[in-house]
mmCIF file of all heavy atoms in Angstrom:
data_model
loop_
_atom_site.group_PDB
_atom_site.id
_atom_site.type_symbol
_atom_site.label_atom_id
_atom_site.label_comp_id
_atom_site.label_asym_id
_atom_site.label_seq_id
_atom_site.Cartn_x
_atom_site.Cartn_y
_atom_site.Cartn_z
ATOM 1 N N GLY A 7 -10.604 -12.636 0.203
ATOM 2 C CA GLY A 7 -9.810 -11.428 0.455
ATOM 3 C C GLY A 7 -10.051 -10.849 1.833
ATOM 4 O O GLY A 7 -9.818 -9.654 2.076
ATOM 5 N N GLY A 8 -10.470 -11.698 2.764
ATOM 6 C CA GLY A 8 -10.837 -11.225 4.113
ATOM 7 C C GLY A 8 -9.659 -10.829 4.984
ATOM 8 O O GLY A 8 -9.858 -10.266 6.061
ATOM 9 N N ALA A 9 -8.431 -11.112 4.526
ATOM 10 C CA ALA A 9 -7.270 -10.682 5.316
ATOM 11 C C ALA A 9 -6.727 -9.342 4.832
ATOM 12 O O ALA A 9 -5.725 -8.849 5.349
ATOM 13 C CB ALA A 9 -6.178 -11.749 5.262
ATOM 14 N N GLY A 10 -7.390 -8.766 3.832
ATOM 15 C CA GLY A 10 -6.950 -7.467 3.311
ATOM 16 C C GLY A 10 -7.602 -6.328 4.083
ATOM 17 O O GLY A 10 -8.224 -6.532 5.133
ATOM 18 N N PHE A 11 -7.462 -5.143 3.542
ATOM 19 C CA PHE A 11 -7.943 -3.931 4.216
ATOM 20 C C PHE A 11 -9.469 -3.975 4.419
ATOM 21 O O PHE A 11 -9.967 -4.132 5.541
ATOM 22 C CB PHE A 11 -7.483 -2.721 3.403
ATOM 23 C CG PHE A 11 -8.132 -1.415 3.726
ATOM 24 C CD1 PHE A 11 -8.264 -0.983 5.039
ATOM 25 C CD2 PHE A 11 -8.597 -0.587 2.706
ATOM 26 C CE1 PHE A 11 -8.850 0.246 5.341
ATOM 27 C CE2 PHE A 11 -9.179 0.637 2.990
ATOM 28 C CZ PHE A 11 -9.318 1.047 4.305
ATOM 29 N N ILE A 12 -10.223 -3.885 3.340
ATOM 30 C CA ILE A 12 -11.684 -3.825 3.475
ATOM 31 C C ILE A 12 -12.232 -5.176 3.946
ATOM 32 O O ILE A 12 -13.106 -5.252 4.821
ATOM 33 C CB ILE A 12 -12.349 -3.402 2.144
ATOM 34 C CG1 ILE A 12 -11.823 -2.036 1.698
ATOM 35 C CG2 ILE A 12 -13.864 -3.370 2.287
ATOM 36 C CD1 ILE A 12 -12.222 -1.638 0.285
ATOM 37 N N GLY A 13 -11.658 -6.243 3.368
ATOM 38 C CA GLY A 13 -12.131 -7.595 3.705
ATOM 39 C C GLY A 13 -12.083 -7.856 5.203
ATOM 40 O O GLY A 13 -12.999 -8.475 5.759
ATOM 41 N N LEU A 32 -11.412 -16.775 2.834
ATOM 42 C CA LEU A 32 -10.452 -17.391 1.901
ATOM 43 C C LEU A 32 -9.475 -16.322 1.414
ATOM 44 O O LEU A 32 -9.899 -15.331 0.794
ATOM 45 C CB LEU A 32 -11.205 -17.979 0.700
ATOM 46 C CG LEU A 32 -10.348 -18.386 -0.502
ATOM 47 C CD1 LEU A 32 -9.416 -19.533 -0.145
ATOM 48 C CD2 LEU A 32 -11.223 -18.764 -1.683
ATOM 49 N N ASP A 33 -8.203 -16.525 1.672
ATOM 50 C CA ASP A 33 -7.224 -15.503 1.297
ATOM 51 C C ASP A 33 -5.886 -16.165 0.987
ATOM 52 O O ASP A 33 -5.451 -17.078 1.690
ATOM 53 C CB ASP A 33 -7.066 -14.486 2.434
ATOM 54 C CG ASP A 33 -6.490 -13.163 1.962
ATOM 55 O OD1 ASP A 33 -5.320 -13.159 1.485
ATOM 56 O OD2 ASP A 33 -7.180 -12.135 2.049
ATOM 57 N N LYS A 34 -5.239 -15.652 -0.040
ATOM 58 C CA LYS A 34 -3.922 -16.187 -0.423
ATOM 59 C C LYS A 34 -2.802 -15.646 0.476
ATOM 60 O O LYS A 34 -1.699 -16.160 0.490
ATOM 61 C CB LYS A 34 -3.661 -15.783 -1.885
ATOM 62 C CG LYS A 34 -2.394 -16.332 -2.477
ATOM 63 C CD LYS A 34 -2.215 -15.811 -3.905
ATOM 64 C CE LYS A 34 -0.872 -16.218 -4.471
ATOM 65 N NZ LYS A 34 -0.639 -15.636 -5.802
ATOM 66 N N LEU A 35 -3.100 -14.583 1.191
ATOM 67 C CA LEU A 35 -2.089 -13.855 1.975
ATOM 68 C C LEU A 35 -0.954 -13.376 1.064
ATOM 69 O O LEU A 35 0.200 -13.772 1.209
ATOM 70 C CB LEU A 35 -1.550 -14.708 3.134
ATOM 71 C CG LEU A 35 -2.582 -15.154 4.171
ATOM 72 C CD1 LEU A 35 -1.922 -15.927 5.305
ATOM 73 C CD2 LEU A 35 -3.360 -13.959 4.741
ATOM 74 N N THR A 36 -1.319 -12.540 0.111
ATOM 75 C CA THR A 36 -0.305 -11.854 -0.699
ATOM 76 C C THR A 36 0.331 -10.794 0.205
ATOM 77 O O THR A 36 -0.002 -10.706 1.388
ATOM 78 C CB THR A 36 -0.956 -11.138 -1.899
ATOM 79 O OG1 THR A 36 -1.794 -10.081 -1.385
ATOM 80 C CG2 THR A 36 -1.783 -12.097 -2.750
ATOM 81 N N TYR A 37 1.171 -9.951 -0.359
ATOM 82 C CA TYR A 37 1.780 -8.874 0.441
ATOM 83 C C TYR A 37 0.699 -8.052 1.159
ATOM 84 O O TYR A 37 0.948 -7.466 2.219
ATOM 85 C CB TYR A 37 2.625 -7.955 -0.470
ATOM 86 C CG TYR A 37 1.757 -7.021 -1.280
ATOM 87 C CD1 TYR A 37 1.473 -5.741 -0.819
ATOM 88 C CD2 TYR A 37 1.148 -7.441 -2.466
ATOM 89 C CE1 TYR A 37 0.622 -4.897 -1.512
ATOM 90 C CE2 TYR A 37 0.297 -6.606 -3.165
ATOM 91 C CZ TYR A 37 0.037 -5.338 -2.690
ATOM 92 O OH TYR A 37 -0.815 -4.523 -3.357
ATOM 93 N N ALA A 38 -0.514 -7.997 0.568
ATOM 94 C CA ALA A 38 -1.579 -7.137 1.124
ATOM 95 C C ALA A 38 -2.434 -7.851 2.161
ATOM 96 O O ALA A 38 -3.211 -7.219 2.867
ATOM 97 C CB ALA A 38 -2.472 -6.621 -0.002
ATOM 98 N N GLY A 39 -2.310 -9.162 2.245
ATOM 99 C CA GLY A 39 -3.129 -9.923 3.184
ATOM 100 C C GLY A 39 -2.368 -10.128 4.485
ATOM 101 O O GLY A 39 -1.187 -10.471 4.466
ATOM 102 N N ASN A 40 -3.047 -9.955 5.597
ATOM 103 C CA ASN A 40 -2.339 -9.957 6.874
ATOM 104 C C ASN A 40 -3.286 -10.464 7.959
ATOM 105 O O ASN A 40 -4.274 -9.796 8.283
ATOM 106 C CB ASN A 40 -1.893 -8.514 7.161
ATOM 107 C CG ASN A 40 -1.090 -8.383 8.427
ATOM 108 O OD1 ASN A 40 -0.900 -9.347 9.158
ATOM 109 N ND2 ASN A 40 -0.616 -7.175 8.690
ATOM 110 N N GLY A 58 -5.700 -19.912 0.504
ATOM 111 C CA GLY A 58 -5.823 -20.455 -0.842
ATOM 112 C C GLY A 58 -5.865 -19.352 -1.881
ATOM 113 O O GLY A 58 -6.110 -18.189 -1.570
ATOM 114 N N ASP A 59 -5.625 -19.790 -3.125
ATOM 115 C CA ASP A 59 -5.508 -18.850 -4.247
ATOM 116 C C ASP A 59 -6.748 -18.977 -5.136
ATOM 117 O O ASP A 59 -7.048 -20.069 -5.633
ATOM 118 C CB ASP A 59 -4.233 -19.235 -5.028
ATOM 119 C CG ASP A 59 -3.904 -18.262 -6.123
ATOM 120 O OD1 ASP A 59 -4.778 -17.443 -6.486
ATOM 121 O OD2 ASP A 59 -2.769 -18.321 -6.631
ATOM 122 N N ILE A 60 -7.441 -17.871 -5.376
ATOM 123 C CA ILE A 60 -8.650 -17.949 -6.206
ATOM 124 C C ILE A 60 -8.320 -18.274 -7.665
ATOM 125 O O ILE A 60 -9.200 -18.632 -8.440
ATOM 126 C CB ILE A 60 -9.508 -16.653 -6.117
ATOM 127 C CG1 ILE A 60 -8.719 -15.412 -6.562
ATOM 128 C CG2 ILE A 60 -10.068 -16.464 -4.720
ATOM 129 C CD1 ILE A 60 -9.590 -14.178 -6.755
ATOM 130 N N VAL A 61 -7.049 -18.144 -8.028
ATOM 131 C CA VAL A 61 -6.656 -18.467 -9.411
ATOM 132 C C VAL A 61 -6.517 -19.984 -9.591
ATOM 133 O O VAL A 61 -6.551 -20.501 -10.708
ATOM 134 C CB VAL A 61 -5.326 -17.744 -9.757
ATOM 135 C CG1 VAL A 61 -4.881 -18.033 -11.174
ATOM 136 C CG2 VAL A 61 -5.501 -16.226 -9.580
ATOM 137 N N HIS A 80 -17.244 -11.441 -2.517
ATOM 138 C CA HIS A 80 -15.958 -11.579 -3.221
ATOM 139 C C HIS A 80 -15.197 -10.248 -3.219
ATOM 140 O O HIS A 80 -15.557 -9.316 -3.933
ATOM 141 C CB HIS A 80 -16.241 -12.044 -4.649
ATOM 142 C CG HIS A 80 -15.020 -12.158 -5.499
ATOM 143 N ND1 HIS A 80 -13.848 -12.734 -5.051
ATOM 144 C CD2 HIS A 80 -14.789 -11.797 -6.794
ATOM 145 C CE1 HIS A 80 -12.942 -12.694 -6.017
ATOM 146 N NE2 HIS A 80 -13.484 -12.126 -7.083
ATOM 147 N N LEU A 81 -14.138 -10.216 -2.384
ATOM 148 C CA LEU A 81 -13.290 -9.009 -2.342
ATOM 149 C C LEU A 81 -11.869 -9.276 -2.804
ATOM 150 O O LEU A 81 -11.126 -8.312 -3.080
ATOM 151 C CB LEU A 81 -13.206 -8.455 -0.921
ATOM 152 C CG LEU A 81 -14.489 -7.931 -0.287
ATOM 153 C CD1 LEU A 81 -14.959 -8.875 0.807
ATOM 154 C CD2 LEU A 81 -14.300 -6.543 0.291
ATOM 155 N N ALA A 82 -11.437 -10.533 -2.847
ATOM 156 C CA ALA A 82 -10.031 -10.813 -3.163
ATOM 157 C C ALA A 82 -9.677 -10.181 -4.503
ATOM 158 O O ALA A 82 -10.378 -10.363 -5.498
ATOM 159 C CB ALA A 82 -9.792 -12.318 -3.213
ATOM 160 N N ALA A 83 -8.602 -9.431 -4.510
ATOM 161 C CA ALA A 83 -8.168 -8.766 -5.744
ATOM 162 C C ALA A 83 -6.772 -8.194 -5.549
ATOM 163 O O ALA A 83 -6.321 -8.009 -4.424
ATOM 164 C CB ALA A 83 -9.131 -7.619 -6.086
ATOM 165 N N GLU A 84 -6.129 -7.948 -6.651
ATOM 166 C CA GLU A 84 -4.989 -7.030 -6.645
ATOM 167 C C GLU A 84 -5.625 -5.655 -6.713
ATOM 168 O O GLU A 84 -6.466 -5.389 -7.576
ATOM 169 C CB GLU A 84 -4.093 -7.275 -7.859
ATOM 170 C CG GLU A 84 -3.290 -8.565 -7.801
ATOM 171 C CD GLU A 84 -2.221 -8.567 -6.714
ATOM 172 O OE1 GLU A 84 -1.825 -7.475 -6.257
ATOM 173 O OE2 GLU A 84 -1.790 -9.646 -6.299
ATOM 174 N N SER A 85 -5.218 -4.746 -5.811
ATOM 175 C CA SER A 85 -6.017 -3.525 -5.660
ATOM 176 C C SER A 85 -5.274 -2.208 -5.887
ATOM 177 O O SER A 85 -5.883 -1.147 -5.804
ATOM 178 C CB SER A 85 -6.632 -3.507 -4.252
ATOM 179 O OG SER A 85 -5.610 -3.317 -3.283
ATOM 180 N N THR A 100 -5.575 -12.521 -11.116
ATOM 181 C CA THR A 100 -6.393 -12.546 -9.889
ATOM 182 C C THR A 100 -7.779 -11.960 -10.128
ATOM 183 O O THR A 100 -8.787 -12.573 -9.761
ATOM 184 C CB THR A 100 -5.675 -11.773 -8.760
ATOM 185 O OG1 THR A 100 -4.492 -12.492 -8.429
ATOM 186 C CG2 THR A 100 -6.536 -11.644 -7.536
ATOM 187 N N VAL A 128 -17.682 -7.305 -4.945
ATOM 188 C CA VAL A 128 -17.318 -5.972 -4.433
ATOM 189 C C VAL A 128 -16.393 -5.298 -5.446
ATOM 190 O O VAL A 128 -15.298 -5.788 -5.719
ATOM 191 C CB VAL A 128 -16.636 -6.092 -3.054
ATOM 192 C CG1 VAL A 128 -16.157 -4.728 -2.570
ATOM 193 C CG2 VAL A 128 -17.601 -6.710 -2.042
ATOM 194 N N SER A 129 -16.860 -4.188 -6.008
ATOM 195 C CA SER A 129 -16.060 -3.536 -7.049
ATOM 196 C C SER A 129 -15.836 -2.058 -6.733
ATOM 197 O O SER A 129 -16.120 -1.581 -5.640
ATOM 198 C CB SER A 129 -16.717 -3.745 -8.420
ATOM 199 O OG SER A 129 -15.796 -3.394 -9.435
ATOM 200 N N THR A 130 -15.328 -1.383 -7.732
ATOM 201 C CA THR A 130 -14.804 -0.028 -7.524
ATOM 202 C C THR A 130 -15.466 0.984 -8.462
ATOM 203 O O THR A 130 -15.905 0.633 -9.558
ATOM 204 C CB THR A 130 -13.282 -0.040 -7.782
ATOM 205 O OG1 THR A 130 -12.800 1.298 -7.803
ATOM 206 C CG2 THR A 130 -12.924 -0.681 -9.111
ATOM 207 N N ASP A 131 -15.428 2.248 -8.060
ATOM 208 C CA ASP A 131 -15.925 3.315 -8.939
ATOM 209 C C ASP A 131 -14.974 3.559 -10.121
ATOM 210 O O ASP A 131 -15.341 4.227 -11.090
ATOM 211 C CB ASP A 131 -16.156 4.616 -8.157
ATOM 212 C CG ASP A 131 -14.902 5.178 -7.496
ATOM 213 O OD1 ASP A 131 -13.838 4.533 -7.566
ATOM 214 O OD2 ASP A 131 -14.990 6.284 -6.906
ATOM 215 N N TYR A 155 -5.609 -1.882 -13.608
ATOM 216 C CA TYR A 155 -6.421 -2.292 -12.445
ATOM 217 C C TYR A 155 -7.904 -2.129 -12.745
ATOM 218 O O TYR A 155 -8.693 -3.069 -12.593
ATOM 219 C CB TYR A 155 -6.042 -1.464 -11.210
ATOM 220 C CG TYR A 155 -7.082 -1.512 -10.101
ATOM 221 C CD1 TYR A 155 -7.314 -2.691 -9.397
ATOM 222 C CD2 TYR A 155 -7.846 -0.379 -9.774
ATOM 223 C CE1 TYR A 155 -8.279 -2.749 -8.390
ATOM 224 C CE2 TYR A 155 -8.810 -0.439 -8.769
ATOM 225 C CZ TYR A 155 -9.019 -1.615 -8.083
ATOM 226 O OH TYR A 155 -9.980 -1.675 -7.094
ATOM 227 N N LYS A 159 -10.977 -4.880 -13.094
ATOM 228 C CA LYS A 159 -12.175 -4.874 -12.252
ATOM 229 C C LYS A 159 -13.430 -4.757 -13.136
ATOM 230 O O LYS A 159 -14.438 -5.407 -12.869
ATOM 231 C CB LYS A 159 -12.142 -3.724 -11.242
ATOM 232 C CG LYS A 159 -11.130 -3.876 -10.123
ATOM 233 C CD LYS A 159 -11.372 -5.072 -9.216
ATOM 234 C CE LYS A 159 -12.569 -4.904 -8.314
ATOM 235 N NZ LYS A 159 -12.672 -6.027 -7.316
ATOM 236 N N CYS A 182 -17.625 1.068 -5.188
ATOM 237 C CA CYS A 182 -17.375 2.032 -4.113
ATOM 238 C C CYS A 182 -16.214 2.974 -4.434
ATOM 239 O O CYS A 182 -15.318 2.647 -5.212
ATOM 240 C CB CYS A 182 -17.081 1.267 -2.822
ATOM 241 S SG CYS A 182 -16.973 2.324 -1.369
ATOM 242 N N SER A 183 -16.243 4.118 -3.776
ATOM 243 C CA SER A 183 -15.169 5.107 -3.927
ATOM 244 C C SER A 183 -14.002 4.761 -3.001
ATOM 245 O O SER A 183 -13.988 3.717 -2.361
ATOM 246 C CB SER A 183 -15.722 6.491 -3.603
ATOM 247 O OG SER A 183 -16.132 6.518 -2.248
ATOM 248 N N ASN A 184 -13.022 5.673 -2.901
ATOM 249 C CA ASN A 184 -11.801 5.431 -2.105
ATOM 250 C C ASN A 184 -12.099 5.241 -0.630
ATOM 251 O O ASN A 184 -12.693 6.124 -0.008
ATOM 252 C CB ASN A 184 -10.853 6.626 -2.228
ATOM 253 C CG ASN A 184 -10.178 6.685 -3.573
ATOM 254 O OD1 ASN A 184 -10.847 6.793 -4.600
ATOM 255 N ND2 ASN A 184 -8.866 6.604 -3.580
ATOM 256 N N ASN A 185 -11.647 4.125 -0.088
ATOM 257 C CA ASN A 185 -11.785 3.867 1.352
ATOM 258 C C ASN A 185 -10.545 4.331 2.094
ATOM 259 O O ASN A 185 -9.454 4.386 1.527
ATOM 260 C CB ASN A 185 -11.917 2.364 1.607
ATOM 261 C CG ASN A 185 -13.272 1.787 1.223
ATOM 262 O OD1 ASN A 185 -13.775 0.919 1.902
ATOM 263 N ND2 ASN A 185 -13.884 2.266 0.152
ATOM 264 N N HIS A 190 -5.175 -0.202 6.595
ATOM 265 C CA HIS A 190 -4.970 0.132 5.185
ATOM 266 C C HIS A 190 -3.492 -0.013 4.874
ATOM 267 O O HIS A 190 -2.646 0.570 5.568
ATOM 268 C CB HIS A 190 -5.413 1.582 4.965
ATOM 269 C CG HIS A 190 -5.830 1.922 3.579
ATOM 270 N ND1 HIS A 190 -6.219 3.185 3.231
ATOM 271 C CD2 HIS A 190 -5.924 1.185 2.450
ATOM 272 C CE1 HIS A 190 -6.545 3.209 1.946
ATOM 273 N NE2 HIS A 190 -6.356 2.001 1.449
ATOM 274 N N GLU A 193 0.718 1.547 1.003
ATOM 275 C CA GLU A 193 1.108 1.864 -0.374
ATOM 276 C C GLU A 193 0.098 2.864 -0.944
ATOM 277 O O GLU A 193 0.355 3.509 -1.935
ATOM 278 C CB GLU A 193 1.120 0.597 -1.245
ATOM 279 C CG GLU A 193 -0.256 -0.050 -1.366
ATOM 280 C CD GLU A 193 -0.287 -1.368 -2.099
ATOM 281 O OE1 GLU A 193 0.744 -1.773 -2.654
ATOM 282 O OE2 GLU A 193 -1.368 -2.006 -2.118
ATOM 283 N N LYS A 194 -1.070 2.971 -0.285
ATOM 284 C CA LYS A 194 -2.132 3.862 -0.741
ATOM 285 C C LYS A 194 -1.935 5.233 -0.091
ATOM 286 O O LYS A 194 -1.311 5.338 0.976
ATOM 287 C CB LYS A 194 -3.512 3.289 -0.373
ATOM 288 C CG LYS A 194 -3.724 1.827 -0.777
ATOM 289 C CD LYS A 194 -4.054 1.644 -2.236
ATOM 290 C CE LYS A 194 -3.988 0.199 -2.701
ATOM 291 N NZ LYS A 194 -4.970 -0.702 -2.148
ATOM 292 N N HIS A 227 -18.182 1.499 4.677
ATOM 293 C CA HIS A 227 -18.269 0.608 3.510
ATOM 294 C C HIS A 227 -18.693 -0.791 3.963
ATOM 295 O O HIS A 227 -19.573 -1.419 3.357
ATOM 296 C CB HIS A 227 -16.916 0.558 2.782
ATOM 297 C CG HIS A 227 -16.961 -0.182 1.473
ATOM 298 N ND1 HIS A 227 -15.828 -0.557 0.794
ATOM 299 C CD2 HIS A 227 -17.990 -0.634 0.718
ATOM 300 C CE1 HIS A 227 -16.159 -1.193 -0.312
ATOM 301 N NE2 HIS A 227 -17.473 -1.255 -0.383
HETATM 302 P P1 NAD B 401 -6.306 -5.220 -0.392
HETATM 303 O O1 NAD B 401 -5.258 -5.220 -1.447
HETATM 304 O O2 NAD B 401 -6.047 -4.562 0.909
HETATM 305 O O3 NAD B 401 -6.698 -6.739 -0.053
HETATM 306 C C1 NAD B 401 -6.852 -7.725 -1.031
HETATM 307 C C2 NAD B 401 -6.890 -9.080 -0.344
HETATM 308 O O4 NAD B 401 -7.045 -10.077 -1.364
HETATM 309 C C3 NAD B 401 -5.574 -9.418 0.395
HETATM 310 O O5 NAD B 401 -5.866 -9.974 1.652
HETATM 311 C C4 NAD B 401 -4.913 -10.449 -0.507
HETATM 312 O O6 NAD B 401 -4.093 -11.368 0.186
HETATM 313 C C5 NAD B 401 -6.119 -11.130 -1.142
HETATM 314 N N1 NAD B 401 -5.786 -11.734 -2.429
HETATM 315 C C6 NAD B 401 -5.131 -11.135 -3.464
HETATM 316 N N2 NAD B 401 -4.974 -12.017 -4.469
HETATM 317 C C7 NAD B 401 -5.560 -13.191 -4.064
HETATM 318 C C8 NAD B 401 -5.727 -14.466 -4.671
HETATM 319 N N3 NAD B 401 -5.229 -14.721 -5.893
HETATM 320 N N4 NAD B 401 -6.396 -15.417 -3.987
HETATM 321 C C9 NAD B 401 -6.893 -15.157 -2.738
HETATM 322 N N5 NAD B 401 -6.733 -13.979 -2.118
HETATM 323 C C10 NAD B 401 -6.080 -13.005 -2.774
HETATM 324 O O7 NAD B 401 -7.599 -4.659 -1.093
HETATM 325 P P2 NAD B 401 -8.763 -3.746 -0.504
HETATM 326 O O8 NAD B 401 -8.377 -2.332 -0.639
HETATM 327 O O9 NAD B 401 -9.201 -4.286 0.795
HETATM 328 O O10 NAD B 401 -9.898 -4.026 -1.595
HETATM 329 C C11 NAD B 401 -10.771 -5.141 -1.469
HETATM 330 C C12 NAD B 401 -11.730 -5.157 -2.640
HETATM 331 O O11 NAD B 401 -12.482 -3.955 -2.656
HETATM 332 C C13 NAD B 401 -11.038 -5.251 -3.991
HETATM 333 O O12 NAD B 401 -11.826 -6.078 -4.809
HETATM 334 C C14 NAD B 401 -11.038 -3.813 -4.503
HETATM 335 O O13 NAD B 401 -11.055 -3.789 -5.895
HETATM 336 C C15 NAD B 401 -12.325 -3.297 -3.920
HETATM 337 N N6 NAD B 401 -12.373 -1.840 -3.651
HETATM 338 C C16 NAD B 401 -11.359 -1.240 -2.929
HETATM 339 C C17 NAD B 401 -11.459 0.119 -2.636
HETATM 340 C C18 NAD B 401 -10.408 0.831 -1.828
HETATM 341 O O14 NAD B 401 -10.467 2.059 -1.713
HETATM 342 N N7 NAD B 401 -9.443 0.148 -1.232
HETATM 343 C C19 NAD B 401 -12.557 0.850 -3.101
HETATM 344 C C20 NAD B 401 -13.550 0.197 -3.838
HETATM 345 C C21 NAD B 401 -13.443 -1.147 -4.086
#
Side-chain angles (χ1 to χ4, degrees):
F11 166 48
I12 301 170
L32 167 65
D33 201 297
K34 184 183 173 185
L35 299 183
T36 66
Y37 77 94
N40 183 356
D59 186 345
I60 59 169
V61 180
H80 177 44
L81 296 109
E84 288 293 340
S85 69
T100 294
V128 175
S129 194
T130 170
D131 61 356
Y155 163 68
K159 289 297 288 187
C182 188
S183 63
N184 286 61
N185 286 217
H190 205 182
E193 63 186 353
K194 310 281 168 67
H227 188 193

